[in-house]
């Protein structure tokens, strides 16, 4: 929750950041791009460190680094240290999620791992509500420094809780026993062979890892583009809704995700051979709703914007299927590395998409006084990225089935 709140806080504070730093849309997008670039670049190294050091150390260290970044972000008002702060947030964030996903198969039975993974992801999305409601309230009432300083203090508290409570594996399981982590959700035929060679090369030559990569790619970047930076400006400046109603859109989406998460996790566990259909269905539904919102040239009714918030969060839910592919195609000792590779997919696509939107907005409206037409054009420019992700997904799906 703390990590997600840190990721999405700048999206809520985007217009305030423009005023505080006297910047345009491209520079604002760079704030998120720097964070996401560091986050994506650190995924594979963090995965390899995770396989070597264990989850507890990375969770504690990552949370402390994130808190330091939020604290710096809260007190500076010039660009260079701001970019450093965002890089710290991205680096700390990179250590957290892969560590959580590594803990789950060590503590839970294989049959329930997809459900627990979904619950971990979607309960983490409560951090989106933290940024949309209490963080925004503090920002509007007490200012920039108080808002980001409060995130830093909460992060340090969570680091302390992790230090006192987290254990890398159940006490009865000996060190090095990762027997659960390489098992399929419900089908032994999907498990990676125990004799699979180790190392990053083995991970990168496994089609199932690339299926997870492009699953994460195609489901997550529309959601992150909306949640990380451009959602609240689009709703307030483009659709003309109040900040309170924009927060309501994010909150409705999060609640829908909490409901959908266990359902998608259970379907993933029951029908592992059909996981890709869940992904394709999610992408199709998201494309339809985005089209219904963006194609008309006039603001849309609140119910449709709320539905957009729902599909945005469902994309975050569906992206965790990519980690389930990593778990079922890669043996336990290499799982951290595989998770890192999968996680690169969605966040690399996200940093590209966020930057594209910022560049287009600056090109069509240098003054920063955005209107709906500007956002329609900027979001439409993301279509090639969607086509690249879908092509990669379908090719990796075919290769994975051939390998099976």
């Amino acid at each position: 929750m703390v990590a997600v709140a840190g990721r999405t806080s700048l999206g809520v504070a985007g217009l305030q950041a423009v005023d505080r730093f006297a910047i345009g849309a491209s520079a604002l997008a760079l704030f998120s791009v720097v964070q996401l670039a560091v986050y994506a670049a650190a995924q594979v190294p963090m995965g390899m460190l995770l396989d070597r050091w264990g989850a507890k150390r990375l969770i504690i260290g990552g949370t402390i680094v994130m808190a330091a970044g939020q604290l710096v972000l809260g007190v500076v008002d010039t660009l260079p240290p701001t970019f450093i702060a965002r890089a710290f947030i991205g680096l700390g964030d990179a250590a957290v999620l892969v560590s959580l996903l590594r803990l789950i198969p060590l503590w839970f039975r294989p049959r329930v791992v997809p459900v627990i993974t979904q619950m971990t992801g979607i309960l983490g999305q409560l951090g989106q509500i933290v940024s949309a409601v209490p963080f925004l309230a503090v920002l509007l009432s007490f200012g920039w420094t108080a808002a980001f300083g409060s995130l830093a203090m909460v992060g340090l508290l969570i680091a302390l809780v992790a230090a006192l409570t987290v254990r890398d594996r159940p006490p009865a399981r000996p060190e090095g026993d990762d027997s659960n982590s390489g098992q399929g959700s419900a089908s032994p035929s999907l498990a990676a062979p125990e004799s699979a060679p180790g190392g990053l090369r083995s991970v990168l030559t496994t089609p199932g890892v690339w299926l997870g990569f492009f699953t994460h790619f195609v489901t997550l970047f529309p959601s992150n583009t909306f949640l990380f930076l451009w959602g609240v400006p689009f709703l307030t400046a483009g659709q003309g809704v109040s900040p309170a109603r924009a927060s309501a859109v994010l909150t409705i989406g999060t609640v829908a995700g909490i409901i959908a998460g266990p359902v998608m996790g259970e379907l993933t566990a029951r029908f592992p051979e059909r996981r890709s259909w869940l992904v394709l269905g999610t992408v199709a539904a998201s494309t339809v709703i985005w089209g219904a919102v963006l194609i008309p040239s006039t603001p849309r009714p609140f119910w449709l914007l709320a539905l957009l918030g729902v599909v945005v969060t469902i994309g975050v839910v569906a992206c965790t299927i990519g980690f389930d592919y990593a778990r079922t195609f890669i043996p336990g000792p290499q799982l951290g590395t595989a998770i890192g590779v999968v996680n690169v997919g969605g966040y690399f696509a996200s940093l590209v998409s966020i930057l594209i939107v910022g560049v287009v907005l600056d090109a069509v409206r240098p003054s920063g006084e955005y209107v709906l037409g500007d956002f329609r054009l900027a979001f439409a420019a993301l279509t090639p990225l969607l086509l690249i992700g879908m092509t990669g997904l379908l090719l990796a799906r075919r290769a994975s089935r051939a390998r099976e």
Side-chain angles (χ1 to χ4, degrees):
M1 290 173 62
V2 171
V4 172
R7 295 177 199 171
T8 57
S9 58
L10 190 62
V12 173
L15 298 180
Q16 287 81 359
V18 169
D19 293 335
R20 180 179 178 87
F21 300 103
I23 56 176
S26 295
L28 179 61
L30 279 178
F31 284 174
S32 289
V33 167
V34 166
Q35 177 186 345
L36 290 174
V38 173
Y39 180 89
Q43 284 302 310
V44 174
M46 286 297 177
M48 298 173 74
L49 287 176
L50 174 61
D51 290 335
R52 180 180 295 270
W53 288 352
K56 180 172 183 174
R57 293 180 184 178
L58 264 67
I59 291 173
I60 296 170
T63 309
I64 291 174
V65 171
M66 278 194 298
Q70 298 288 9
L71 187 60
V72 172
L73 184 61
V75 299
V76 301
D77 56 7
T78 56
L79 288 183
T82 302
F83 288 128
I84 295 173
R86 295 299 289 181
F88 268 57
I89 295 170
L91 183 63
D93 194 359
V96 172
L97 181 61
V98 292
S99 301
L100 296 177
L101 295 175
R102 187 70 178 90
L103 283 175
I104 292 170
L106 292 173
W107 279 87
F108 296 93
R109 293 179 291 107
R111 176 61 179 79
V112 300
V113 164
V115 177
I116 301 298
T117 300
Q118 288 287 358
M119 290 304 299
T120 300
I122 203 60
L123 290 176
Q125 291 305 310
L126 291 174
Q128 179 182 316
I129 296 181
V130 171
S131 63
V133 182
F135 172 82
L136 181 60
V138 173
L139 179 69
L140 297 178
S141 300
F142 301 102
W144 181 278
T145 298
F148 284 95
S150 64
L151 285 181
M153 295 304 103
V154 173
L156 292 176
L157 174 63
I158 295 303
L160 177 61
V161 171
L164 294 175
T165 62
V166 172
R167 291 182 293 184
D168 284 328
R169 64 188 66 248
R173 179 168 298 163
E175 188 74 23
D177 179 6
D178 298 331
S179 55
N180 278 359
S181 57
Q183 298 303 313
S185 300
S187 174
S189 66
L190 291 180
E194 294 181 2
S195 60
L200 180 60
R201 180 178 179 182
S202 173
V203 170
L204 294 178
T205 55
T206 302
V209 173
W210 290 105
L211 180 56
F213 177 96
F214 283 108
T215 292
H216 206 256
F217 182 114
V218 79
T219 54
L220 192 59
F221 87 81
S223 302
N224 278 350
T225 303
F226 189 88
L227 298 175
F228 273 31
L229 192 59
W230 296 119
V232 171
F234 168 68
L235 292 172
T236 54
Q239 294 289 335
V241 305
S242 66
R245 300 203 96 186
S247 294
V249 169
L250 300 180
T251 302
I252 290 169
T254 302
V255 172
I258 292 173
I259 296 171
V263 175
M264 193 167 291
E266 182 63 22
L267 291 174
T268 301
R270 284 179 178 268
F271 308 105
E273 296 89 350
R274 299 291 178 264
R275 288 171 291 185
S276 60
W277 288 108
L278 291 174
V279 176
L280 295 172
T282 299
V283 174
S286 176
T287 302
V288 169
I289 299 303
W290 272 105
V293 171
L294 293 176
I295 290 174
S297 59
T298 56
R300 297 295 84 201
F302 180 77
W303 67 266
L304 185 55
L305 299 178
L307 194 55
L308 177 64
V310 170
V311 298
V312 161
T313 307
I314 297 299
V316 179
V317 173
C319 82
T320 61
I321 296 175
F323 301 123
D324 203 58
Y325 283 123
R327 184 180 62 82
T328 54
F329 283 97
I330 290 295
Q334 304 162 44
L335 181 57
T337 303
I339 290 172
V341 171
V342 169
N343 214 18
V344 169
Y347 288 96
F348 171 76
S350 297
L351 70 88
V352 173
S353 65
I354 288 172
L355 186 58
I356 288 173
V357 172
V359 169
V360 173
L361 288 176
D362 262 355
V364 299
R365 193 73 57 178
S367 67
E369 301 293 330
Y370 307 122
V371 297
L372 177 57
D374 305 332
F375 286 103
R376 293 173 65 218
L377 184 61
F379 285 127
L382 302 180
T383 302
L385 198 61
L386 177 64
L387 295 176
I388 291 171
M390 285 301 301
T391 300
L393 173 67
L394 294 175
L395 290 176
R397 181 173 180 247
R398 178 186 298 176
S400 297
R401 291 186 171 184
R403 173 71 64 91
E404 289 176 24

